[in-house]
């Protein structure tokens, strides 16, 4: 197969959207189409099949196991991860199109779901502040082990929301409620209702932190020595990355790797670097010298 852009595959993916699942791949099932962010062009649709999902999970398992071996206090502690909406719309054949993280959140095994603080249905919340608030409402009660977000700007926004809404968050935690003023779809509010737990003792600890510091910061809620942040550290995220210490103190940071809807490319093995090993078990990788990218017949090299 020659290398080519997404446009070369688009006609086959369009046939898949109509229900012809084997137009491009051998898997008989298409769970969904993951939508790319559309950074450089229109949003692409990536077919998510059982084999793709298995490879995607395997990459996360390798990343997570190495992170836990290096940071043992986080083992079996709750995880905070904001998932997206797995079903922004459906194709004419009824196949969902949306965020891949939302799909994996709904398909986790019961034991794994228990570790995740944020309800998967929160991906349906469109209002950003409400999404962050719901994530915090279900996570400030616990001493978490990992905080995962691809973009550190989300972590900054989460920290700012925590402080801006500290009185309401502490009150909700004390009373076992969820702020009625939040812009939430009714079905989301109904689904999360059963998970609302009253924790007077924890609310008192957080209130004491506010009285002591004059603010409610993640570093006071979650111990930096027992937490790991997983986020991107390379590319253009520097301005947000530099702000994390203000809110999260000296919490260690490990890059999530070069990761996109199209697949996982790298697996970072150490903290404070975007570098990582190639995830050769998930995809077939080919490389073109940068100086030859615009040539009609460039040199194409395998990973070996």
């Amino acid at each position: 197969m020659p290398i080519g852009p997404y446009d070369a595959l688009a006609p086959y993916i369009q046939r898949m959207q109509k229900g012809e699942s084997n137009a491009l791949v051998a898997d008989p099932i298409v769970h969904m189409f993951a939508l790319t962010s559309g950074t450089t062009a229109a949003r692409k649709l990536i077919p998510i099949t059982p084999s793709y999902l298995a490879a995607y999970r395997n990459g996360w398992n390798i990343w997570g196991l190495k992170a836990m071996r290096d940071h043992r206090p986080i083992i079996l502690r709750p995880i905070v991860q904001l998932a997206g909406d797995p079903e922004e719309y459906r194709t004419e054949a009824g196949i969902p199109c949306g965020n891949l993280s939302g799909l994996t959140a709904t398909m986790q095994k019961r034991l794994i779901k228990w570790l995740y603080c944020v309800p998967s249905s929160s991906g349906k919340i469109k209002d950003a502040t409400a999404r962050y608030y719901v994530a915090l409402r279900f996570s400030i009660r616990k001493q978490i082990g990992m905080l995962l977000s691809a973009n550190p700007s989300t972590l900054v926004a989460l920290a700012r929301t925590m402080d801006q809404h500290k009185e309401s968050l502490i009150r909700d935690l004390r009373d076992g409620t969820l702020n009625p003023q939040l812009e939430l779809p009714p079905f989301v509010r109904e689904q999360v209702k059963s998970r609302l737990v009253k924790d007077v003792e924890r609310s008192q600890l957080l209130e004491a932190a506010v009285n002591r510091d004059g603010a409610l910061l993640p570093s006071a809620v979650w111990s930096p020595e027992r937490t790991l942040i997983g986020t991107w550290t390379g590319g253009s995220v520097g301005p947000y990355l530099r702000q994390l210490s203000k809110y999260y103190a000296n919490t260690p940071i490990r890059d999530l790797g070069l990761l996109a809807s199209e697949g996982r490319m790298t697996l970072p093995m150490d903290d404070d670097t975007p570098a990582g090993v190639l995830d050769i078990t998930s995809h077939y990788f080919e490389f073109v010298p940068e100086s030859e990218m615009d040539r009609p017949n460039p040199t194409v090299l395998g990973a070996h």
Side-chain angles (χ1 to χ4, degrees), residues 215-292:
L216 188 62
L217 301 177
S219 56
V221 177
W222 304 311
S223 169
E225 291 76 26
R226 300 163 69 187
T227 309
L228 175 69
I229 290 175
T231 192
W232 285 334
T233 62
S236 60
V237 302
Y240 291 103
L241 197 67
R242 288 189 287 273
Q243 296 181 55
L244 293 187
S245 61
K246 172 183 175 182
Y247 302 108
Y248 298 89
N250 60 340
T251 302
I253 299 173
R254 179 157 300 193
D255 196 293
L256 296 177
L258 184 54
L259 181 68
S261 303
E262 292 87 346
R264 173 182 285 283
M265 275 58 82
T266 63
L267 289 159
M269 297 283 112
D270 299 290
D271 294 346
D272 303 316
T273 175
V277 299
L278 193 66
D279 186 7
I280 58 171
T281 65
S282 64
H283 288 62
Y284 184 78
F285 291 95
E286 294 180 300
F287 297 87
V288 172
E290 194 172 2
S291 60
E292 298 185 31

Side-chain angles (χ1 to χ4, degrees), residues 30-90:
V30 179
H31 291 302
M32 69 175 296
F33 289 100
L35 297 173
T36 65
S37 59
T39 307
T40 58
R43 300 180 79 179
K44 305 178 185 71
L45 282 79
I46 311 299
I48 305 303
T49 62
S51 61
Y52 180 105
L53 199 58
Y56 183 81
R57 284 173 165 165
N58 186 56
W60 271 113
N61 289 342
I62 295 171
W63 184 93
L65 288 169
K66 182 62 166 65
M68 289 179 188
R69 286 183 63 180
D70 295 343
H71 300 274
R72 294 193 177 274
I74 73 173
I75 294 176
L76 291 181
R77 290 194 175 276
I79 298 167
V80 175
Q81 182 176 25
L82 276 70
D85 184 356
E87 191 178 327
E88 295 184 23
Y89 64 91
R90 285 180 175 261

Side-chain angles (χ1 to χ4, degrees), residues 189-245:
R189 190 178 286 275
E190 184 64 28
Q191 284 183 7
V192 303
K193 190 193 318 183
S194 62
R195 293 184 56 174
L196 293 170
V197 176
K198 181 189 299 186
D199 195 329
V200 176
E201 183 179 354
R202 180 67 168 167
S203 70
Q204 291 173 340
L205 288 172
L206 298 183
E207 198 163 19
V210 173
N211 294 333
R212 181 187 68 238
D213 304 329
L216 188 62
L217 301 177
S219 56
V221 177
W222 304 311
S223 169
E225 291 76 26
R226 300 163 69 187
T227 309
L228 175 69
I229 290 175
T231 192
W232 285 334
T233 62
S236 60
V237 302
Y240 291 103
L241 197 67
R242 288 189 287 273
Q243 296 181 55
L244 293 187
S245 61

